[in-house]
């Protein structure tokens, strides 16, 4: 196996171990032992069960978007794409971390790169848009959050991000992107310019295909929302398992805000930021010493477990190609 790949995986493993250990060490309280003794094992099965629901709807969303672009993905191919997203997303920062792995697996399933790029882009935008649309409801139901997060700021950011996909669709109906592409590729070789324009036209074609199927896009958006809520609901499952009293809307609302921030996290997989954000948002809702334990349970269930499955699938399929793609991503950044 590629030495650089092994080194990167070992580094990620060390981070995965050290950060949760530090979180528990600095937040643990002797009173937490009382809740740990009340822990009900069935909550583990419930957490993984609701996670499975979220991943299934993530796969259904992918299949729906593929059909919109006149492509078909088998169940095995969908599983590969969904889990590989978790793998590279933990290795690289930001919302685009898993994009390369998704495109690589879809290309392997004979989906053209331009169409695969559109599908990945739309999946990400759908997730972010769904979370942004929920933000006003979250603030309305949680007075604590509205005190330090001005509604005016949230409203402005929401309008900006919701406008992005609309602006892209409108631009695709004009000639401006072609003029910009001519200017940007003016000094490049003929072959490279031809490849750039071919990719642009394929991307434009795929975008128009999606615009002709509004009901399918709406279905994919609903599947996206169910997927996200299913994944976030792993946290309330652990709350129930420790017999902690809580408000479902409040807990799910804070998970929505936390994961919205993580989409723009500058660290691989949101490492450190995720745990710190969880502690800030949930310290007031949990007994002394439990917030760190709950943060670790959430990260392992909803992030690291799918990451391990995705690592097995991705390394087996591509091996060193993933490192090459990741190095390319780093150079672009």
């Amino acid at each position: 196996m590629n030495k650089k790949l092994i080194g990167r995986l070992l580094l990620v493993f060390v981070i995965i171990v050290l950060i949760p250990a530090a979180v528990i060490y600095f937040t643990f309280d002797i009173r937490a032992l009382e809740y740990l003794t009340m822990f009900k094992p069935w909550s583990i099965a419930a957490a993984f069960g609701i996670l499975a629901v979220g991943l299934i709807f993530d796969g259904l969303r992918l299949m729906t978007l593929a059909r919109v672009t006149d492509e078909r993905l088998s169940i095995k191919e969908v599983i590969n794409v969904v889990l590989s997203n978790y793998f590279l997303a933990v290795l690289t920062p930001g919302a685009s971390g898993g994009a390369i792995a998704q495109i690589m697996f879809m290309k392997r399933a004979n989906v053209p790169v331009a169409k695969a790029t559109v599908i990945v882009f739309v999946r990400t935008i759908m997730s972010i848009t769904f979370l942004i649309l929920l933000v006003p409801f979250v603030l309305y139901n949680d007075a604590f959050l509205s005190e330090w997060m001005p509604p005016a700021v949230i409203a402005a950011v929401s309008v900006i991000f919701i406008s992005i996909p609309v602006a892209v669709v409108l631009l695709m109906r004009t000639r401006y992107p072609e003029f910009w592409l001519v200017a940007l590729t003016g000094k490049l070789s003929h072959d490279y310019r031809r490849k750039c324009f071919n990719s642009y036209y394929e991307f434009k074609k795929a975008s128009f295909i999606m615009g002709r199927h509004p009901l399918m896009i709406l279905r994919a958006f609903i599947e996206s929302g169910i997927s996200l809520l299913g994944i976030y609901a792993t946290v309330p499952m652990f709350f129930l398992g420790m017999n902690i009293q809580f408000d479902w809307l409040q807990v799910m609302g804070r998970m929505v805000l936390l994961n919205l921030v993580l989409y723009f996290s500058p660290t691989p997989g949101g490492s450190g930021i995720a745990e710190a954000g969880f502690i800030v948002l949930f310290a007031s809702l949990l007994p002394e010493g439990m917030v760190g334990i709950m943060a670790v349970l959430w990260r392992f269930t909803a992030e690291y477990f799918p990451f391990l499955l995705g690592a097995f699938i991705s390394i087996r399929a591509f091996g060193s190609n993933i490192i090459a793609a990741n190095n390319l991503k780093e150079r672009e950044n």
Side-chain angles (χ1 to χ4, degrees):
M1 188 183 293
N2 187 285
K3 291 183 179 180
K4 193 166 186 178
L5 177 59
I6 295 176
R8 178 62 64 88
L9 291 175
L10 287 176
L11 176 61
V12 171
F13 178 76
V14 170
I15 292 174
I16 289 175
V17 172
L18 289 182
I19 291 181
V23 169
I24 293 177
Y25 177 80
F26 288 108
T27 61
F28 188 77
D29 187 276
I30 193 66
R31 284 168 287 187
L33 293 175
E34 179 182 349
Y35 287 90
L36 291 175
T37 57
M38 295 188 296
F39 183 73
K40 300 177 178 62
W42 61 258
S43 65
I44 298 177
F48 280 107
I50 199 68
L51 172 67
V53 171
L55 295 178
I56 288 171
F57 274 93
D58 193 3
L60 291 174
R61 171 181 60 172
L62 177 63
M63 296 177 74
T64 301
L65 292 176
R67 286 198 295 271
V68 168
T69 59
D70 298 324
E71 299 293 336
R72 294 291 186 272
L73 294 173
S74 67
I75 294 177
K76 181 180 179 180
E77 290 165 347
V78 168
I79 292 173
N80 288 343
V81 173
V82 170
L83 293 180
S84 67
N85 174 45
Y86 279 89
F87 171 56
L88 209 58
V90 171
L91 293 180
T92 58
S96 62
I100 293 175
Q102 295 178 68
I103 293 172
M104 289 171 67
F105 270 106
M106 279 190 276
K107 182 180 178 182
R108 196 180 190 191
N110 298 318
V111 177
V113 173
K115 286 187 177 181
T117 303
V118 172
I119 292 172
V120 171
F121 173 77
V122 172
R123 287 180 77 224
T124 303
I125 290 299
M126 279 185 172
S127 296
I128 295 174
T129 302
F130 179 79
L131 296 180
I132 289 175
L133 290 176
L134 289 182
V135 167
F137 300 98
V138 171
L139 294 178
Y140 178 79
N141 287 288
D142 198 328
F144 171 78
L145 294 176
S146 60
E147 290 179 357
W148 57 273
M149 192 176 296
V153 175
I154 294 297
V157 173
S158 299
V159 170
I160 291 173
F161 280 104
I162 292 174
S163 300
I164 289 176
V166 177
V168 170
V169 172
L170 293 176
L171 278 174
M172 283 295 177
R173 297 180 179 277
T174 69
R175 300 292 299 274
Y176 290 111
E178 294 181 28
F179 297 148
W180 297 335
L181 194 58
V182 169
L184 291 173
T185 61
K187 296 183 179 180
L188 301 177
S189 66
H190 173 73
D191 288 341
Y192 196 82
R193 291 189 71 191
R194 180 174 54 82
K195 290 180 181 179
C196 289
F197 274 92
N198 286 341
S199 297
Y200 165 73
Y201 287 125
E202 289 183 17
F203 186 91
K204 185 174 182 178
K205 180 181 177 181
S207 299
F208 279 122
I209 290 173
M210 288 191 171
R212 292 197 298 267
H213 299 82
L215 293 180
M216 293 288 283
I217 294 298
L218 176 61
R219 172 181 170 178
F221 184 76
I222 294 172
E223 290 169 343
S224 179
I226 296 174
S227 171
L228 292 174
L229 294 178
I231 294 171
Y232 302 162
T234 54
V235 172
M237 293 300 105
F238 288 121
F239 275 54
L240 291 172
M242 293 186 184
N243 200 30
I244 297 173
Q245 301 298 317
F246 66 98
D247 182 330
W248 272 86
L249 289 178
Q250 190 177 45
V251 171
M252 291 297 290
R254 296 192 183 188
M255 289 300 297
V256 164
L257 287 181
L258 176 58
N259 283 274
L260 179 59
V261 171
L262 292 181
Y263 268 101
F264 307 98
S265 167
T267 61
S271 298
I273 294 178
E275 288 81 357
F278 190 96
I279 291 172
V280 170
L281 289 174
F282 288 91
S284 61
L285 303 181
L286 291 166
E288 290 288 338
M290 286 300 299
V291 65
I293 295 173
M294 200 64 68
V296 171
L297 287 174
W298 159 58
R299 288 289 281 172
F300 176 79
T301 305
E303 294 288 339
Y304 298 140
F305 177 71
F307 160 77
L308 293 174
L309 295 178
F312 174 77
I313 290 173
S314 301
I315 293 173
R316 184 179 179 183
F318 293 108
S320 59
N321 288 353
I322 293 177
I323 284 297
N326 189 44
N327 290 340
L328 176 62
K329 180 71 177 178
E330 291 176 350
R331 287 197 295 272
E332 290 176 350
N333 291 335

